[in-house]
Amino acid sequence: MTRITRSGDCRNSPKNAFMQEVAIGLLTGAETLEASLAETVVLRRNGHADVTGAEAVRTLAADMFRDHHDVLIVHHAISHGKVGAANCVAVKGDARTAFAVVVEFATAKADRVAVIDLYGV
């Protein structure tokens, strides 16, 4: 089970909190992630083919990250308009890996994610 340390950036911002939960869902492979994704969501990673579709993105996240770290730290989760971002660190033993997640929301309401750009993996 991954121990999660959440950012303090989200106390007064539901959109920041949503962004944080998307990053946590993505980096822990949580099954709840799929409910946050638009059906046609696209995940992009440098050097890899794009992954399209909510189920495919959640499955990839589960395969990539589940049980691959003991601690996940979300340093910051921010949003503005239709864009959100989070920077995180995953820790497994003595190894630390930094991640950045940048998303484009499907609408300014920020209740579904249309595009995910994942950096650090």
Side-chain angles (χ1 to χ4, degrees), residues 103-117:
V103 305
E104 180 181 330
F105 300 115
T107 67
K109 186 177 175 184
D111 61 352
R112 294 266 189 255
V113 175
V115 178
I116 301 170
D117 288 301

Side-chain angles (χ1 to χ4, degrees), residues 37-96:
L37 304 175
E39 189 59 38
T40 58
V41 64
V42 176
L43 183 137
R44 301 183 295 213
R45 297 183 299 152
N46 191 28
H48 294 77
D50 291 355
V51 175
T52 303
E55 184 176 337
V57 168
R58 195 203 60 75
T59 300
L60 176 67
D63 291 345
M64 286 176 46
F65 296 111
R66 188 172 293 150
D67 301 324
H68 291 255
H69 41 269
D70 302 318
V71 178
L72 176 63
I73 303 164
V74 180
H75 288 293
H76 299 285
I78 59 173
S79 63
H80 183 74
K82 287 181 66 175
V83 178
N87 68 320
C88 312
V89 173
V91 180
K92 180 75 170 182
D94 292 334
R96 297 173 63 87

Side-chain angles (χ1 to χ4, degrees), residues 22-36:
V22 167
I24 290 169
L26 184 64
L27 298 174
T28 62
E31 292 180 14
T32 57
L33 174 66
E34 197 168 345
S36 302

